Amino acid sequence: MMSVTTEVINILGVTALLIAFLLLTESYMHSLINLIALQSLLIAGILGIIGWERASPELIILAGITVAFRALLIPWILQRDIRNERIWRNREVKTTHHAIVIGLILAVTAYFLYVPVYRVTGDWKGVIAFILLFLSMLVIVGRRNAMAQIIGYISEENSLLYLAAMITSMPLILEFGILLDMIAFVLLAVILGAEKRYGPLEVEELVG
């Protein structure tokens, strides 16, 4: 029988997974930013619960960092940028009408790919995070706008930390999380700097 904390973690994880599907289909940047902030808050809650259950200060600190950076600071920077750029007020982010179908197929594929992990660990607790990892990759690949791909990268960060917390007690997870945040800030600075100079960029415009 599952404990209460396990059930809460699963509910938060499934909600984060549903948000990943919304990230695949949402057409407006401000909504994408709000969704990734909510997903980051949910992942922070998962990390905090696991940290409290394991008496792990590293995970609790990482939960706080996730809230501060990925749920608050980065979304605030992005929202401020699109408010200052008039073009974003009515500009849709390119997506595909088949994104949800592709996402469902990828989710089922990820589930079956997790089966060998289950055979080794004897536990399904990492399967939601594993599916979220694949859907986050699809967000990055499926979007053609550079800023939208930043959203996908943040979702990828969330899924990696979620997966690491579920399947391992890795002592370097705090450093791993901070490293991912630093990479996100560098990418964000580069993209925002380029958009200040050239306007909203599609991926093809970054080549060369």
Side-chain angles (χ1 to χ4, degrees):
M1 185 176 181
M2 290 192 300
S3 65
V4 174
T5 54
T6 301
E7 291 179 354
V8 171
I9 289 171
N10 287 340
I11 291 172
L12 295 177
V14 169
T15 306
L17 195 60
L18 292 175
I19 290 175
F21 280 104
L22 292 176
L23 291 175
L24 289 171
T25 58
E26 180 55 53
S27 298
Y28 289 93
M29 182 59 67
H30 66 87
S31 297
L32 282 172
I33 296 170
N34 291 334
L35 285 170
I36 199 61
L38 178 57
Q39 187 193 72
S40 298
L41 194 61
L42 293 171
I43 297 301
I46 292 173
L47 295 175
I49 292 171
I50 296 174
W52 173 77
E53 191 175 42
R54 296 181 184 173
S56 170
E58 292 87 359
L59 282 175
I60 295 174
I61 292 171
L62 186 57
I65 292 173
T66 299
V67 171
F69 285 87
R70 268 171 272 143
L72 296 176
L73 182 58
I74 293 179
W76 177 77
I77 292 173
L78 291 173
Q79 291 284 16
R80 186 184 65 172
D81 182 74
I82 66 172
R83 281 197 302 268
N84 293 336
E85 297 292 337
R86 294 180 62 185
I87 192 172
W88 283 115
R89 295 177 187 175
N90 300 303
R91 188 174 194 267
E92 293 187 53
V93 181
K94 292 180 181 178
T95 184
T96 171
H97 299 295
H98 306 296
I100 193 70
V101 176
I102 297 172
L104 288 170
I105 294 172
L106 193 61
V108 173
T109 302
Y111 174 84
F112 285 106
L113 289 176
Y114 190 82
V115 172
V117 179
Y118 167 73
R119 289 173 180 166
V120 173
T121 63
D123 201 327
W124 287 103
K125 62 184 180 181
V127 67
I128 297 175
F130 193 69
I131 295 172
L132 180 59
L133 180 67
F134 277 73
L135 290 179
S136 300
M137 291 179 185
L138 183 59
V139 174
I140 297 174
V141 173
R143 296 289 184 168
R144 307 312 304 161
N145 179 271
M147 192 181 292
Q149 288 191 330
I150 289 290
I151 301 296
Y153 177 79
I154 297 172
S155 181
E156 188 83 353
E157 284 186 16
N158 288 337
S159 57
L160 284 171
L161 293 179
Y162 180 15
L163 184 62
M166 293 301 291
I167 67 175
T168 181
S169 58
M170 179 175 63
L172 296 179
I173 190 172
L174 177 58
E175 291 83 352
F176 179 61
I178 293 173
L179 175 62
L180 289 176
D181 282 331
M182 292 303 101
I183 294 173
F185 268 110
V186 171
L187 290 174
L188 183 59
V190 171
I191 296 301
L192 292 183
E195 292 203 337
K196 289 293 182 183
R197 185 172 182 180
Y198 303 110
L201 299 174
E202 303 303 321
V203 172
E204 290 84 358
E205 297 172 1
L206 296 175
V207 178

